[in-house]
Amino acid sequence: MMKYPIGVQSFEQIIEDGYVYVDKTALVYDLVKGGKIYFLSRPRRFGKSLLMSTIENYFMGRKELFAGLAMEGLEKEWLEYPVFHIDFNAGNFKKAGALEEKINAYLHDWEDVYGQPEIKMGAGDRFARILHLAYVKTGRRCVVLIDEYDKPLLDVLETGLTTVVDGQERLLEEWHRDVLRGLYSVFKAADADLQFVLLTGVTKFSQVSVFSGFNQPKDISMDSRYDALCGITQAELESCFAEPIRELAEKEGVSVQQITESLKRRYD
């Protein structure tokens, strides 16, 4: 009986616990070998977090998790890189200070591994320093994965919520944009220390203002080569789920074609 990973976003858990996995690793291989800094926009609940988890485990050199998948036959070296994964999914950023706390928690954990700064630094400078120290320590450039880069902005967009910065009241929306701009500017400052960067999100509206501190990431949201990077295609549905579709059709007393069309209407 097939086990479906409902709500499971961890590639490691899906593989180790025997859940169904639609193999996207050939596309992942093309992506990581074909460029350096990417941006991907997809709707929520569309598989972005699972994609990030897959890429993270690949760059961690976890060859055993890719046994039997396309990646196993494509990758020959299986090198381990320092990976820095920031996930804004779970945060509620309507509270003043929540974004800074989230970022500082990540930076503090990484500084415990790579070293604390001797002077007070902003988040972007701290992150750049961490990336450089990680490159020096491991001898390999860094991988940065930022999941739902835009959630701290979407949570407060047009809410009128405010915060106080240096004694001055500011719209939380504007402050979050400034904080994120400072964080994402690291991709210019630390370019020599970076191997691969991927940012995912729902919107593209902040590319100019939030990403203005460095060269624009390559937007693959509408790139036909990566259409199937997230989600399930018609061909994948018919090949990976042929047996359960047939069983469902028999149960409902309709043809396989009819049940397939019904599934397509429901989930497209």
Side-chain angles (χ1 to χ4, degrees), residues 56-120:
E56 181 174 15
N57 280 279
Y58 163 75
F59 276 113
M60 291 172 65
R62 302 195 64 185
K63 180 180 179 179
E64 72 281 2
L65 295 179
F66 294 84
L69 301 177
M71 183 71 80
E72 183 181 35
L74 293 169
E75 183 57 71
K76 307 303 180 184
E77 295 184 298
W78 290 102
L79 302 175
E80 181 179 354
Y81 294 85
V83 179
F84 299 86
H85 188 172
I86 297 176
D87 186 357
F88 287 126
N89 264 304
N92 179 359
F93 300 104
K94 292 181 179 179
K95 178 183 176 182
L99 176 58
E100 299 95 298
E101 289 175 7
K102 183 84 166 179
I103 294 171
N104 283 330
Y106 279 115
L107 296 177
H108 180 74
D109 287 347
W110 295 331
E111 285 169 343
D112 281 347
V113 177
Y114 298 107
Q116 300 284 343
E118 296 180 359
I119 59 173
K120 187 175 181 180

Side-chain angles (χ1 to χ4, degrees), residues 242-259:
E243 185 60 22
I245 288 175
R246 184 189 62 78
E247 292 175 355
L248 181 60
E250 290 180 356
K251 180 181 178 180
E252 298 294 325
V254 298
S255 69
V256 168
Q257 181 179 354
Q258 286 174 311
I259 203 69

Side-chain angles (χ1 to χ4, degrees), residues 84 125 139 153 167 179 220 232 234:
F84 299 86
D125 289 334
L153 288 172
V179 171
I220 59 170
I232 298 174
Q234 183 79 22

